[in-house]
């Protein structure tokens, strides 16, 4: 689990399973999470505590994601909250219309990102981070390599010619018998 | 030696003069010695003429002459004769020839009576022309079903070498047909009509409407029947093509429904897989965070989705099983009654009044009773759920079945939550459920629609939010599936009329 980020995400989804999953993913990524099962509940949660970002399911019975979004756009204070639209129906007749409408309803200067189901934890977290203006994280495997790369870059700045030549030879020989990733 | 021919007695003389025939008396020289009034009128210069001269304008006597024979043997005979008049019109006569004997038994004279049958011959000719050229097959049969007369069209179409009975000709059969209208006509002396399938000379199947009419006047026993048949093969062909097109249309609709269902299923399974992967993720997170509650929640999520996939797969298997619906004659109202009985207690426990409206009598129909049962059960179950979600005090669900202009109509009406615009748009278009997780698969209405489509029918609904919903199944009788008979083979020529 990464360090604690002092940001709250409101997850709105009618499916309890999806709510639990998204909540767990976000908590693992260090966010505070509040959850709502429909548009009305979401409005209650927002009154209790204003979220920094809303994760919004498009297709829900009773109050759809589109209706909820249009509703909060009427309030200046809430209209500015970045939104991540989560949908399994980006391309079918089921959700395509709503997706187009919500994109059209996006206020000027508003921030919105669409994430398609099935949800990959890293993609989802990055979408949340992106709308918050944060750097994107990378998956564990890439991140380990990236850490090494950064360290190498730092060393190269101060290394002498001989060390650099040796390092280059090692790199040109290709992967060692025992892979660097173990 | 010539003896004088004399008309002695008055009655005979009067008869001779006034009989409405041309009557002449000739001697052995073929000279006309006497003519009655009508003959005198028709042939004013008859006196002392030879008969062949007067009637035929010949110089010698005719080669074929009945009078010659009667002069020889004294027997009475009849001959037919055609005479071309000066106006160029041929007239037809039936001529009776009889001998006049003198005291010694000699035959010095012969009397010829000519009956003008021109009108009859002409009528017969017209009748024959009509008989031969009418666009129907006409045959006259006797009590043994032997064809004693037939028109040209019948001969051209059905007459084969060595055949003489109508059943041989029409159908290549060796005995009288089972559904023969002529049999009835012989029995009752009445006209009978039926539709038959025969085989023509070239072996081609021929459909025809046959009318059998007795050939005798009222009251007498029938010994001839005339059979008049009109070829309706083209009409039948068109009808078959139309039925085929209708079947194909239903098939296309059915495939469309199946396609949508498969797309829906794929979506449903995708959702469940997401649930399973999510559950795994949550369980793993709980383990690494050492959070027992999270592990439990994740495990529940896994369980839910496993339950869901098992339900979907079972329902889908049931759904996929019936590529062939099991059609039989069943009573539409009786099916409604069964479903009603099945849900009455359940509805009562949920505080919902379930009512059934069926008319006294609905005709049986060819349908899949199990399939229709499933449809109605799905709709009632949905209606009960819609009522349970509603906060009304009097919750009602009604099921009705009626017949409306040849269409069987089922209606399931509730005063439950009703549906908003979005739900209305989605209920048929895809895998969709508004029911709590794990309770609905979203297959119910898809199954219902598929079954109804397979019956050539339609499902529609009308819903007002907070007021309630009506689902309607309409099954036009003429589009219902046909019962597959155990042995569709049709013995040659035998066809139900």
């Amino acid at each position: 689990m990464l360090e604690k980020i002092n940001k709250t995400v409101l997850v709105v989804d009618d499916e309890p399973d999806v709510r639990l999953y998204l909540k767990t993913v976000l908590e693992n990524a260090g966010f505070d999470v509040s959850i709502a099962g429909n548009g009305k509940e979401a409005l209650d949660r927002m009154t209790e505590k204003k979220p920094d970002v809303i994760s919004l399911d498009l297709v829900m019975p009773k109050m759809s994601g589109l209706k909820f979004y249009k509703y909060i756009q009427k309030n200046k204070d809430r209209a500015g909250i970045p939104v991540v639209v989560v949908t399994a129906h980006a391309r079918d007749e089921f959700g395509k219309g709503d997706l187009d409408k919500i994109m059209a309803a996006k206020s000027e200067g508003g921030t919105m990102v669409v994430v398609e189901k099935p949800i990959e934890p890293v993609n989802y977290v990055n979408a949340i981070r992106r709308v918050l203006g944060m750097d994107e994280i990378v998956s564990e495997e890439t991140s380990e390599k990236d850490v090494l790369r950064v360290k190498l870059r730092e060393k190269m700045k101060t290394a002498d010619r001989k060390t650099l030549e040796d390092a280059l030879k090692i790199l040109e020989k290709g992967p060692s018998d025992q892979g660097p990733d173990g | 030696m010539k003896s004088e021919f004399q008309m002695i007695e008055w009655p005979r003389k009067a008869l001779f003069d006034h009989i409405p025939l041309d009557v002449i008396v000739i001697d052995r020289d073929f000279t006309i010695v006497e003519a009655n009034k009508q003959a005198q009128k028709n042939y004013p210069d008859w006196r002392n003429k030879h008969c062949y001269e007067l009637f035929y304008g010949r110089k010698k006597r005719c080669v074929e002459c009945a009078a010659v024979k009667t002069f020889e043997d004294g027997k009475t005979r009849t001959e037919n004769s055609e005479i071309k008049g000066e106006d160029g019109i041929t007239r037809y006569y039936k001529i009776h020839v009889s001998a006049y004997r003198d005291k010694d038994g000699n035959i010095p004279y012969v009397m010829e009576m000519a009956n003008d049958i021109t009108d009859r011959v002409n009528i017969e000719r017209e009748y024959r022309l009509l008989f031969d050229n009418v666009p129907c097959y006409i045959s006259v049969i006797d009590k043994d079903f032997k064809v004693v007369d037939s028109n040209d069209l019948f001969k051209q179409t059905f007459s084969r070498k060595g055949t003489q009975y109508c059943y041989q000709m029409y159908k290549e059969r060796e005995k009288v047909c089972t559904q023969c209208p002529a049999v009835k006509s012989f029995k009752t002396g009445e006209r009978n009509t039926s539709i038959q399938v025969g085989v023509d000379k070239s072996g081609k199947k021929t459909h025809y409407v046959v009318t059998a009419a007795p050939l005798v006047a009222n009251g007498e026993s029938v010994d001839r029947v005339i059979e008049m048949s009109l070829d309706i093969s083209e009409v039948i062909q068109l009808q078959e093509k139309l039925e085929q097109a209708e079947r194909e249309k239903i098939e296309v609709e059915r495939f469309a429904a199946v396609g949508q269902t498969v797309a829906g299923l794929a979506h449903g399974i995708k959702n469940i897989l997401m649930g399973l992967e999510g559950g795994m993720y949550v369980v793993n997170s709980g383990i690494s965070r050492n959070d027992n509650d999270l592990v439990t929640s994740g495990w529940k999520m896994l369980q839910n989705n496993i339950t869901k996939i098992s339900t979907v797969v079972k329902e889908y298997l049931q759904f996929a099983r019936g590529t062939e619906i099991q059609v039989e004659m069943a009573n539409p109202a009786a099916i409604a009654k069964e479903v009603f009985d099945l849900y009455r207690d359940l509805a009562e426990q949920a505080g919902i009044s379930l009512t059934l409206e069926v008319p006294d009598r609905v005709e049986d129909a060819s349908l899949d009773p199990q399939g229709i049962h499933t449809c109605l059960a799905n709709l009632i179950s949905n209606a009960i759920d819609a009522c349970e979600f509603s906060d009304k005090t009097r919750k009602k669900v009604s099921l009705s079945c009626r017949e409306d202009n040849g269409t069987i109509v089922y209606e399931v009406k509730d005063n439950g939550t009703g549906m908003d615009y979005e739900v209305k748009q989605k209920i048929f278009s895809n895998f969709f459920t508004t029911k709590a997780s794990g309770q609905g698969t979203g297959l119910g209405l898809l199954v219902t629609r598929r079954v109804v489509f397979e019956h050539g029918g339609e499902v529609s609904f009308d819903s007002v939010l907070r007021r309630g919903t009506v689902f309607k199944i309409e099954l036009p009788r003429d589009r219902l599936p046909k019962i597959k008979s155990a042995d569709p083979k049709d013995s040659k020529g035998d066809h139900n009329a």
Side-chain angles (χ1 to χ4, degrees):
Chain A
M1 205 188 312
L2 295 182
E3 283 170 39
K4 193 108 178 87
I5 303 162
N6 205 16
K7 300 276 184 192
T8 303
V9 184
L10 170 59
V11 174
V12 191
D13 202 302
D14 62 314
E15 290 268 350
D17 285 355
V18 177
R19 284 202 299 273
L20 175 62
Y21 172 57
L22 296 182
K23 181 174 182 276
T24 311
V25 169
L26 290 173
E27 281 172 356
N28 286 350
F31 289 96
D32 287 332
V33 183
S34 64
I35 52 171
N38 56 53
K40 278 187 189 117
E41 261 182 53
L43 292 175
D44 291 346
R45 294 292 96 74
M46 288 176 84
T47 320
E48 289 160 22
K49 190 186 182 208
K50 188 186 156 189
D52 296 291
V53 57
I54 299 166
S55 165
L56 183 62
D57 182 21
L58 259 194
V59 180
M60 292 185 290
K62 290 180 187 167
M63 194 180 200
S64 75
L66 174 63
K67 270 191 190 166
F68 171 79
Y69 184 78
K70 281 186 171 171
Y71 186 80
I72 60 167
Q73 294 312 299
K74 288 176 188 160
N75 181 315
K76 267 188 191 167
D77 193 30
R78 290 171 172 178
I81 303 172
V83 174
V84 171
V85 173
V86 178
T87 179
H89 307 282
R91 289 182 197 88
D92 61 22
E93 45 163 327
F94 211 3
K96 184 80 175 70
D98 273 11
L99 188 60
D100 291 346
K101 280 182 203 153
I102 203 167
M103 299 293 267
K106 185 173 81 92
S107 61
E108 257 182 71
T111 315
M112 185 186 289
V113 166
V114 177
V115 179
E116 279 186 46
K117 287 178 182 174
I119 299 289
E120 281 296 323
V122 174
N123 290 347
Y124 180 58
V125 169
N126 277 339
I128 299 281
R129 291 176 68 98
R130 198 151 70 236
V131 295
L132 285 169
M134 296 166 69
D135 283 345
E136 297 188 12
I137 53 156
V138 280
S139 70
E140 276 177 38
E141 190 188 303
T142 12
S143 76
E144 275 175 29
K145 278 193 211 159
D146 280 352
V147 170
L148 291 173
R149 263 192 206 101
V150 172
K151 278 185 184 166
L152 198 60
R153 217 178 285 138
E154 290 301 317
K155 291 284 177 201
M156 284 195 300
K157 281 180 190 164
T158 52
D160 58 32
R161 186 189 165 89
K162 173 77 176 73
T163 315
L164 284 172
E165 278 177 353
D166 288 350
L168 192 64
K169 268 182 203 160
I170 292 168
L171 287 171
E172 279 174 346
K173 238 165 63 183
S176 58
D177 291 344
Q178 282 180 323
D181 298 332
Chain B
M1 195 188 81
K2 235 181 207 179
S3 59
E4 196 68 19
F5 179 79
Q6 285 180 334
M7 279 289 169
I8 307 159
E9 299 155 54
W10 172 79
R12 291 198 184 172
K13 172 72 175 149
L15 182 68
F16 179 78
D17 273 345
H18 298 293
I19 194 166
L21 304 169
D22 294 339
V23 187
I24 55 164
V25 179
I26 53 172
D27 61 17
R28 295 192 79 102
D29 192 28
F30 304 99
T31 305
I32 300 166
V33 297
E34 188 60 89
N36 75 340
K37 290 257 158 78
Q38 188 178 308
Q40 289 183 23
K41 193 179 147 212
N42 288 338
Y43 303 96
D45 49 350
W46 60 277
R47 211 168 280 275
N48 294 322
K49 287 257 170 65
H50 294 293
C51 59
Y52 49 83
E53 200 181 349
L54 184 69
F55 299 128
Y56 304 102
R58 290 190 176 132
K59 296 235 159 53
K60 285 178 167 176
R61 74 164 177 84
C62 309
V63 182
E64 289 285 319
C65 177
V68 172
K69 290 174 190 158
T70 298
F71 273 125
E72 273 170 21
D73 59 15
K75 281 180 182 161
T76 299
R77 42 175 58 83
T78 307
E79 66 174 0
N80 288 320
S81 170
E82 291 176 33
I83 299 175
K84 199 166 189 175
E86 282 169 11
D87 50 7
I89 294 169
T90 305
R91 301 198 69 81
Y92 301 87
Y93 296 92
K94 191 168 267 291
I95 301 172
H96 296 268
V97 183
S98 50
Y100 171 82
R101 288 179 194 271
D102 63 15
K103 286 176 282 186
D104 306 321
N106 298 319
I107 305 171
Y109 304 105
V110 154
M111 183 159 70
E112 294 185 345
M113 293 183 288
N115 188 7
D116 188 339
I117 55 165
T118 308
D119 287 350
R120 208 183 89 197
V121 169
N122 283 341
I123 286 169
E124 266 179 12
R125 237 188 222 174
E126 279 172 27
Y127 159 74
R128 192 71 219 182
L129 206 69
L130 187 75
F131 188 74
D132 280 338
N133 290 289
V134 73
C136 291
Y137 312 122
I138 303 179
S139 54
V140 179
I141 54 169
D142 65 12
K143 282 198 146 172
D144 298 325
F145 300 91
K146 194 186 276 180
V147 175
V148 292
D149 194 4
S150 62
N151 72 344
D152 285 352
L153 194 61
F154 177 86
K155 284 186 193 107
Q156 284 161 21
T157 315
F158 294 108
S159 182
R160 301 150 167 96
K161 265 189 186 166
T163 56
Q164 51 178 344
Y165 298 102
C166 65
Y167 46 82
Q168 292 176 321
M169 296 183 180
Y170 266 124
K171 299 194 181 187
E172 288 184 346
R173 282 172 63 93
E174 286 312 315
K175 35 176 206 195
V176 179
C177 309
T178 45
Q179 303 270 351
C180 174
V183 169
K184 285 187 207 158
S185 292
F186 276 122
K187 251 185 222 163
T188 63
E190 282 165 2
R191 203 177 63 176
N192 286 289
T193 299
S194 77
I195 294 174
Q196 302 276 332
V197 184
V199 188
D200 72 10
K201 262 203 274 198
S202 67
K204 207 180 84 194
K205 204 173 167 188
T206 310
H207 295 261
Y208 54 91
V209 184
V210 57
T211 300
L215 257 186
V216 270
N218 294 340
E220 290 175 44
S221 76
V222 183
D223 56 5
R224 294 276 162 96
V225 160
I226 181 163
E227 290 180 325
M228 295 161 282
S229 303
L230 189 64
D231 195 321
I232 52 161
S233 297
E234 278 182 30
V235 178
I236 297 280
Q237 261 175 26
L238 279 177
Q239 196 183 334
E240 279 171 0
K241 273 186 193 160
L242 205 69
E243 280 171 8
Q244 177 67 19
E246 188 75 359
R247 273 198 300 277
E248 280 166 10
K249 195 176 150 220
I250 291 171
E251 191 69 357
V252 167
E253 286 170 1
R254 198 171 78 80
F255 273 119
V258 169
Q260 278 165 340
T261 309
V262 169
L265 184 80
H267 182 87
I269 286 180
K270 197 171 91 184
N271 268 346
I272 295 166
L273 276 179
M274 274 159 54
L276 289 171
E277 281 169 5
M280 264 164 38
Y281 181 91
V282 173
V283 168
N284 284 337
S285 297
I287 291 168
S288 61
R289 282 193 219 169
N290 225 350
D291 180 344
N292 251 342
D293 288 348
L294 196 59
V295 172
T296 310
S297 303
W299 185 245
K300 261 187 198 153
M301 191 169 157
L302 282 173
Q303 277 178 323
N304 276 347
N305 282 286
I306 287 167
T307 310
K308 230 192 255 181
I309 204 160
S310 124
T311 315
V312 166
V313 167
K314 276 179 200 157
E315 271 195 37
Y316 185 73
L317 285 180
Q318 196 188 14
F319 175 74
R321 163 200 60 87
T323 41
E324 287 270 308
I325 53 174
Q326 303 295 316
V327 184
E328 56 187 76
M329 287 309 283
N331 193 281
I335 301 171
K337 178 79 167 56
E338 272 174 36
V339 178
F340 170 75
D341 288 341
L342 198 65
Y343 278 90
R344 192 166 34 187
D345 290 349
L346 193 79
E348 204 176 306
Q349 280 162 25
I352 298 161
S353 111
L354 178 63
T355 54
L356 174 73
E357 296 162 34
V358 289
D360 294 338
R361 193 170 157 70
V362 177
E363 293 289 324
D364 286 1
S366 61
L367 39 79
D368 177 5
Q370 194 54 50
I372 297 298
H373 188 285
T374 306
C375 292
L376 296 179
N378 282 337
L379 294 183
I380 294 223
S381 157
N382 283 351
I384 289 175
D385 285 344
C387 282
E388 284 192 308
F389 285 127
S390 129
D391 40 20
K392 284 185 184 136
T393 45
R394 284 187 180 176
K395 298 173 181 180
K396 286 186 288 190
V397 173
S398 70
L399 166 64
S400 70
C401 170
R402 62 174 197 270
E403 173 108 26
D404 198 355
N405 264 333
T407 297
I408 300 159
V409 182
Y410 289 107
E411 268 184 5
V412 175
K413 199 190 287 187
D414 69 65
N415 67 346
T417 54
M419 293 182 267
D420 65 12
Y421 177 74
E422 276 139 90
V423 175
K424 279 184 203 170
Q425 276 197 318
K426 286 158 195 169
I427 54 161
F428 284 124
S429 64
N430 222 318
F431 223 96
F432 182 77
T433 179
T434 58
K435 295 176 189 178
S437 249
Q439 283 184 10
T441 57
L443 266 176
L445 280 178
L446 283 173
V447 171
T448 302
R449 187 176 58 176
R450 196 199 72 163
V451 171
V452 171
F453 275 16
E454 280 180 338
H455 285 77
E458 270 179 47
V459 196
S460 58
F461 67 93
D462 193 11
S463 182
V464 179
L465 199 58
R466 284 181 288 276
R467 286 270 184 80
T469 304
V470 188
F471 270 91
K472 196 192 225 179
I473 294 176
E474 288 168 287
L475 307 171
R477 282 187 185 270
D478 57 2
R479 280 172 59 102
L480 286 175
K482 303 259 183 309
I483 294 176
K484 289 209 172 89
S485 68
D487 182 19
K489 214 176 67 191
D490 193 16
S491 72
K492 193 183 217 171
D494 256 282
H495 196 264
N496 46 344

